[in-house]
């Protein structure tokens, strides 16, 4: 079966009922989507199928033959991060990082949806509601997605962290997103 | 010092957002076999026989291990301190919890491994399970555990005790006794990454062990002990743990993978399914806590009697440690001078319990805080004011005689009241953590107050002869 | 765990409704995958034999149309595409899981969800019951149409082709849910007035959705919402599961019935 993953065409040999998750991880060595539950309950396996976010653990290979699959590995161009990736990094939206791939793909679909619009908190929660995180308590993830939807990845996609050279600016350290 | 006050990137942040962070299951070694476990379907049963012969000849099967394949099957991490071990890596003569491992298979695919597991024949003789810690230690109760129903190794005692002051006198003097029972239940850690390890045999004869453990040197010691190997034959590769929260200190998969890797001479990986993670991985323990406080009408807590039962599940693991921490904190953030605490670790036919954030202490915080609110309700006092009155202050001593030098109870309680929009009396709003004097130093708190001016770590009371 | 290895399964990706019907045959040994959100975990974890698997997601069996005053919905229509469907179906479809699941899950799959011992998944079944759903299916003996009650009572050995539902005069839902970022329905009562008759059903109280016929009889006899609700437990005895106890469900069901009927007016 043929599958295009992050722009690369593959002749896949896994059996047709193999989940897309196992095709990606075991046959194609694309490991960003994770086996969090293999039942569609956690969102750690979410990838894009023809641009829409889907649970890779629920899709048999035969159902996505010929489709264009995008994973986190396909978001950045060289060292340049997508706006969503940069926002997640800048806003500390990942701790252990295991859920991050799934959240990023869900956020990409939301932030890049047509027509473009700044998304409110409720809309973000609704779009990401299939994703479980056990570390962060979600607040910084929501901040990151809101920032990304405002186009605030950061200037030139370089995360906006203070440099470690020179004196720190005065005042208490800020946690999370600047307002 | 340039980092202080600066916003710094997480060193692993880029890896996370690019999907490049490597977890154990992302490591790729050619020829890796998959592991599936044979688990007890019974809460409690004798093992009469195990027959792996059919499984051994099934397609794709490279190795099968049962108890007889483990050089040192029973090992406990406190052995070096003289505390005997109780838990086998793989069940030998009996199974003591539903899900306990009876054997494990390494095969070319998960399907092949599971099919082989299904072909292992085990004959069990079921026993009546023990599932309620309240009745497990009743007189005449049968116990499945070789030590009886109660963990016996707390020095000369079979329980953790705290004794302070004269609790009988306190109860005599009280205006009212307030009782409560609190039963926090088991909680599953639910890490997004399930328990996983990958063991690779090296040409040198060493094993490289990719592990999701939170405690690498500890796990290294566990594996080495079960194998009877020196530590320098193991190379542990840790890295990013996909969430642990205390549940990845039990070295759940590494040792069995090591045995299978040695037997099969192939790399071996075991990744728990989410079902395994929920059903058989260790949890935070359930507790049963009974508190009785001797209380005055104006809100002094003169004394506390407390009984705690800690559900260890089928084996002891770290339960004695958790109970000990629980015991040390059984007065909460408050100064109670007369104490009688008894805590027991009880064995049941449940999954062995383990650490989880705040191990031992979250249970006692829940119980003591709920109980204080109950006390406030009974005597008709504002719950914040009750807490402020009894709060730890500088110079107060805890149940185990540690002297408080910088307690935060008062400012935190005041801040909480303000955040909740609660109006407190003027006297209470003015309270600080300063040493107790005047009205805040009633007679029953004098003896426990450490002398001023000396920075003592502990203080046994005016009659107890110093630090 | 049983189940033949997935590598040995015969997999047919139907490209048309006709191909799907042919591949299904009389249904013996066939597993149908539409969206796959319910069936795939069972296949992946070998809880279900996968000898002959027919995929119908791309067989042109989705779509919503009108026929003679009723709405006809293809079995492979996704829940996302039913967001604006006639009430109470629209509400039920919108409140399943999250957007990723809803864009993959289908109404046919939901109708055919195996009876749930834990958290019943037949989220749309109560809506179909009150909308007088007629189920067109293929299988042994050819194509035929059955009322949804019969389909829910059967053992699921037919291929669902499409579902037609009535246009109600009024509709209402009353739900109890667990706190969660998205709807996590414990139990829902659907009510509708169709051709002057009140129909009322509950999902999440039993392994499959149940029509509350005693309540319907009371309502038909002119009883008010509260009185009608007292008969809620005559047609169902809720049981325990991970989401809620049978006791809790039994306490709450009459309240939901009363609320739904009050909304219905």
């Amino acid at each position: 079966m043929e599958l295009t993953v992050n722009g690369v065409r593959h002749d896949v040999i896994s059996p047709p009922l193999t989940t897309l998750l196992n095709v990606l991880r075991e046959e194609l060595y694309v490991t960003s989507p994770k086996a969090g539950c293999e039942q569609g309950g956690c969102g750690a396996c979410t990838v894009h199928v023809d641009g829409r976010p889907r649970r890779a653990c629920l899709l048999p290979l035969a159902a996505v033959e010929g489709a264009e699959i995008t994973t986190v590995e396909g978001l950045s161009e060289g060292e340049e991060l997508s706006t969503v990736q940069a926002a997640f990094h800048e806003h500390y939206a990942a701790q252990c990082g295991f859920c991050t791939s799934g959240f990023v793909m869900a956020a990409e679909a939301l932030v890049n949806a047509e027509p473009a619009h700044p998304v409110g908190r409720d809309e973000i929660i609704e779009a990401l509601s299939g994703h479980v995180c056990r570390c962060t308590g979600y607040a910084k993830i929501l901040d990151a997605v809101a920032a990304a939807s405002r186009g605030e990845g950061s200037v030139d996609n370089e995360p906006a962290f203070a440099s470690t050279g020179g004196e720190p600016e005065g005042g208490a350290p800020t946690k999370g997103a600047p307002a | 010092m340039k980092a202080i006050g600066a916003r710094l990137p997480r060193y692993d942040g880029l890896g996370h957002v690019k999907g490049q962070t490597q977890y154990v299951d992302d490591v790729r070694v050619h020829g890796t076999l998959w592991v599936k476990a044979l688990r007890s379907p019974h809460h409690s049963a004798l093992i009469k026989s195990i027959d792996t012969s059919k499984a051994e000849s099934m397609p794709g099967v490279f190795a099968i291990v049962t108890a007889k394949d483990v050089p040192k099957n029973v090992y406990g991490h406190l052995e070096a301190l003289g505390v005997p071990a109780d838990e086998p890596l793989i069940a030998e003569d009996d199974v003591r919890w539903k899900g306990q491992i009876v054997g494990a298979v390494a095969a070319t695919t998960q399907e092949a491994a599971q099919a082989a597991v299904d072909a292992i024949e085990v004959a069990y003789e079921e026993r009546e399970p023990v599932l309620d810690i309240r009745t497990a230690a009743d007189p005449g109760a049968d116990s499945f555990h070789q030590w009886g129903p109660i963990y016996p190794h707390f020095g000369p005692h079979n329980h953790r005790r705290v004794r302070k002051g004269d609790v009988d006198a306190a109860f005599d003097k009280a205006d009212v006794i307030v009782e409560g029972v609190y039963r926090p239940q088991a909680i599953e850690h639910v890490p997004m990454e399930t328990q996983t390890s990958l063991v690779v045999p090296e040409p040198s004869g060493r094993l490289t062990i990719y592990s999701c453990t939170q405690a690498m040197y500890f796990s290294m010691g566990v594996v080495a002990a079960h194998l009877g190997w020196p530590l320098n034959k193991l190379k542990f590769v840790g890295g990013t743990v996909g969430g642990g929260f205390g549940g990845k200190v039990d070295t759940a998969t590494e040792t069995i993978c090591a045995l299978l890797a040695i037997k099969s001479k192939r790399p071996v990986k075991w990744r728990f399914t989410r079902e395994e993670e929920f059903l058989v991985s260790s949890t935070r323990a359930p507790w049963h806590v009974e508190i009785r406080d001797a209380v005055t009408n104006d809100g002094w807590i003169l004394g506390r009697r407390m009984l705690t039962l800690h559900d260890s599940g089928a084996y002891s693991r770290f339960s004695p440690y958790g109970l000990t921490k629980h015991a040390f904190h059984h007065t909460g953030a408050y100064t109670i001078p007369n104490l009688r605490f008894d805590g027991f670790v009880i064995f049941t036919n449940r999954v062995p319990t383990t650490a989880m954030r705040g191990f031992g202490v979250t249970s006692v915080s829940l119980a003591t805080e709920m109980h204080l609110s109950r006390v406030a309700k009974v005597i008709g006092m504002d719950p914040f004011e009750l807490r402020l009155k009894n709060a730890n202050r500088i110079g107060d001593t805890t149940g185990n005689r540690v002297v408080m030098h910088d307690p935060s109870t008062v400012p935190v309680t005041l801040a909480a009241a303000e955040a909740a929009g609660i109006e407190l009396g003027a006297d209470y709003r003015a309270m600080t953590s300063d040493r107790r004097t005047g009205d805040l130093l009633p007679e029953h708190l004098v003896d426990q107050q450490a002398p001023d001016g000396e920075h003592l770590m502990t203080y046994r009371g005016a009659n107890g002869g110093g630090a | 765990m049983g189940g033949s290895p997935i590598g040995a399964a015969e997999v047919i990706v139907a490209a048309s409704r006709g191909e799907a019907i042919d591949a299904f045959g009389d249904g013996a040994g066939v597993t149908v995958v539409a969206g796959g959100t319910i069936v795939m975990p069972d296949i992946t974890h070998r809880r279900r034999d996968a000898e002959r698997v027919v995929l119908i997601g791309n067989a042109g069996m989705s779509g919503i149309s009108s026929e003679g005053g009723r709405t006809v919905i293809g079995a492979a229509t996704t829940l996302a595409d039913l967001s604006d469907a006639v009430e109470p179906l629209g509400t039920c479809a919108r409140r399943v899981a999250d957007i990723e699941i809803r864009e993959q899950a289908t109404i046919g799959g939901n109708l055919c969800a195996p009876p749930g011992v834990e958290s019943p998944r037949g989220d749309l079944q109560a809506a179909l019951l009150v909308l007088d759903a007629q189920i067109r299916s293929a299988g042994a003996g050819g194509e035929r149409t059955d009322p949804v009650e019969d389909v829910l009572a059967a053992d699921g050995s037919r291929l669902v082709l499409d579902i037609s539902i009535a246009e109600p005069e009024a509709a209402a839902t009353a739900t109890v849910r667990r706190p969660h970022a998205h709807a996590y329905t414990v139990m829902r009562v659907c009510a509708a007035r169709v051709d002057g008759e009140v129909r009322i059903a509950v999902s999440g109280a039993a392994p499959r959705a149940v029509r509350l016929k005693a309540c319907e009889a009371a309502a038909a006899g002119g009883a008010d919402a509260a009185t009608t609700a007292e008969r809620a437990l005559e047609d169902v005895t809720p049981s325990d599961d991970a989401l809620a106890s049978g006791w809790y469900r039994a306490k709450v069901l009459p309240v939901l019935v009363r609320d739904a009927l009050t909304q219905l007016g």
Side-chain angles (χ1 to χ4, degrees), chain A residues 22 25-26 29 31-32 34-39 42 44 72-73 76 78-79 81 85 88-92 94-101 104 132-135 159-166 168-169 171 173-174 176-177, chain B residues 1-28 30 34 110 187-194 240-245 269 271-275 278 356-357:
Chain A
N22 281 332
R25 289 184 61 79
E26 305 303 327
Y29 302 128
T31 56
S32 71
K34 304 299 181 197
C37 72
E38 294 193 277
Q39 304 176 48
C42 74
V72 173
E73 289 91 336
S76 37
E79 286 309 309
L81 304 174
Q85 286 174 302
F88 268 64
H89 186 33
E90 182 184 336
H91 292 273
Y92 305 106
Q95 285 188 27
C96 85
F98 201 78
C99 71
T100 304
S101 299
V104 164
V132 179
C133 171
R134 289 290 289 159
C135 296
F161 295 105
S163 83
T164 52
E169 291 166 6
T174 53
Chain B
M1 297 319 255
K2 289 180 281 198
I4 295 180
R7 285 187 84 238
L8 299 176
R10 290 181 63 104
Y11 75 92
D12 54 4
L14 279 178
H16 287 350
V17 302
K18 290 164 77 173
Q20 289 174 348
T21 299
Q22 189 172 77
Y23 305 87
V24 174
D25 192 44
D26 299 327
V27 176
R28 292 281 174 266
H30 284 299
W34 288 86
Q110 294 186 66
I187 299 179
E188 161 55 33
H189 308 81
V190 197
M192 293 310 295
E193 174 204 36
T194 59
T240 303
V241 182
F245 319 116
K269 175 164 72 173
R271 182 183 82 204
F272 269 24
T273 63
R274 182 55 61 181
E275 195 173 359
F278 268 117
M356 185 175 180
R357 299 168 64 113

Side-chain angles (χ1 to χ4, degrees), chain C residues 104-145:
Chain C
Q104 186 174 337
T106 65
I107 185 168
N110 199 272
L111 170 65
C112 297
V117 243
E118 80 293 320
S119 50
R121 285 174 299 237
D123 321 72
L124 274 51
Q125 293 172 1
L128 295 177
L129 280 168
V130 304
L131 290 172
D132 183 37
Q134 301 293 322
I135 315 298
R136 184 140 191 87
S137 68
E143 287 187 32
R144 67 172 201 241
T145 301

Side-chain angles (χ1 to χ4, degrees), chain A residues 1 15-19 22 37-40 43 46 52-55 57-60 62-63 102 106 125-127 129-131, chain C residues 6-7 9 11 13 33 35-37 40-41 43-45 47 50 53 55 58 97-104 180-182:
Chain A
M1 298 204 166
L17 282 184
T18 311
T19 63
N22 281 332
C37 72
E38 294 193 277
Q39 304 176 48
T46 293
R52 292 304 297 159
R54 292 282 180 273
R55 308 283 220 274
C57 73
L58 294 180
L59 287 164
I125 290 174
E126 173 71 26
S129 65
H131 293 263
Chain C
I6 55 169
V11 178
V13 181
V33 176
T37 55
M40 280 309 294
I43 291 178
T44 300
H45 297 284
R47 288 189 290 264
V53 178
L55 274 61
N58 286 322
D98 59 274
I99 187 68
E100 294 169 27
I101 297 290
R102 288 196 296 274
E103 289 189 6
Q104 186 174 337
H180 195 283
H182 64 250

Side-chain angles (χ1 to χ4, degrees), chain B residues 400-414:
Chain B
N400 47 336
R401 279 86 170 167
V402 172
V403 178
M404 288 283 166
H405 295 294
D406 188 17
S408 55
T409 315
V410 171
V412 167
T413 306
L414 287 173

